[in-house]
Amino acid sequence: MSVLLIAATVAVVLVAQQALRLLPGSLNPFEEETKDRSGPVLLQSIRDLSRYEAASGNFQVIVDLEKDAKFLPSAVRGSRTLFVGQGSVSAYVDFSRLGSGAITVNADRTAATVRLPRAQLAAAALDPRQSHVFTTERGLIDRLGDFFSGNPNDQRQLYMLAAQKIQDAAAQSGLRERADHNARLMLENMLRALGFRTVDVQTAAR
């Protein structure tokens, strides 16, 4: 009986929502108006960067997240969401990690040797304009919870999962190796333009 009562309540609410949507905006009590009341942006800190961004990769992942109740069918309790995550990962060389003796120059300044640290991967950055929920299926209890909660479309877990999957993919993609190569090439060209005839740029072992 309680299940029928809940179903009837949901049906009444949905019908009322559809009816109210037909009213002009000024007469609809549920019509939303968006106002930006944000405060001014506060500068919290500034830090100098000493890293060279040598490569960047763009990635896309489909997150298929399913949540089920142990003893209830998915039509009653459970959800499944397909989320399209698109973002990028940058690979950079941190020049602040150059130790003493990392750069050596011969007496007549015709030869230079540079020992670089390995490239590192920055944290995955998801593009909010390209990342979105593709489809969502929810059980009756979950739909009711979404209706009565203040945050029915909380997507933080989806964004976190997508970012982690993209980060893992970047680590296996050869992005760091590309960044190592690009950093060596950049320094070789720069030092030769400064007049060095022999340039040896080395990357630290893994």
Side-chain angles (χ1 to χ4, degrees), residues 135-171:
T135 183
T136 301
E137 299 174 359
R138 294 187 299 273
L140 176 62
I141 295 176
D142 296 271
R143 289 198 298 271
L144 284 172
D146 288 347
F147 179 79
F148 290 109
S149 70
N151 192 12
N153 297 313
D154 188 359
Q155 300 176 2
R156 285 176 297 179
Q157 186 179 12
L158 294 168
Y159 272 85
M160 290 174 63
L161 278 172
Q164 185 58 57
K165 290 179 182 295
I166 288 176
Q167 192 77 41
D168 294 341

Side-chain angles (χ1 to χ4, degrees), residues 25-161:
S26 59
L27 299 178
N28 187 350
F30 294 98
E31 182 71 18
E32 290 187 349
E33 181 181 0
T34 301
K35 295 181 180 180
D36 186 356
R37 301 186 184 277
S38 307
V41 177
L42 301 178
L43 175 63
Q44 293 186 321
S45 65
I46 293 178
R47 62 189 179 94
D48 295 327
L49 297 179
S50 57
R51 67 189 195 183
Y52 170 64
E53 186 174 309
S56 179
N58 295 317
F59 300 85
Q60 186 182 80
V61 63
I62 306 297
V63 175
D64 187 349
L65 184 63
E66 185 173 1
K67 297 180 180 179
D68 292 320
K70 206 175 256 189
F71 302 109
L72 292 175
S74 58
V76 176
R77 178 63 192 270
S79 65
R80 183 179 180 184
T81 303
L82 294 180
F83 178 81
V84 179
Q86 187 159 320
S88 61
V89 177
S90 298
Y92 64 92
V93 176
D94 188 356
F95 290 134
S96 69
R97 296 176 58 197
L98 290 173
S100 59
I103 302 175
T104 57
V105 178
N106 66 347
D108 58 358
R109 296 184 60 82
T110 58
T113 300
V114 182
R115 297 174 181 83
L116 290 177
R118 280 216 69 200
Q120 302 178 62
L121 295 179
L126 258 64
D127 185 348
R129 295 172 298 180
Q130 301 294 329
S131 303
H132 60 278
V133 172
F134 180 73
T135 183
T136 301
E137 299 174 359
R138 294 187 299 273
L140 176 62
I141 295 176
D142 296 271
R143 289 198 298 271
L144 284 172
D146 288 347
F147 179 79
F148 290 109
S149 70
N151 192 12
N153 297 313
D154 188 359
Q155 300 176 2
R156 285 176 297 179
Q157 186 179 12
L158 294 168
Y159 272 85
M160 290 174 63
L161 278 172

Side-chain angles (χ1 to χ4, degrees), residues 10-28:
V10 172
V12 170
V13 170
L14 292 176
V15 170
Q17 280 185 320
Q18 293 297 328
L20 289 172
R21 285 196 182 100
L22 299 177
L23 294 175
S26 59
L27 299 178
N28 187 350

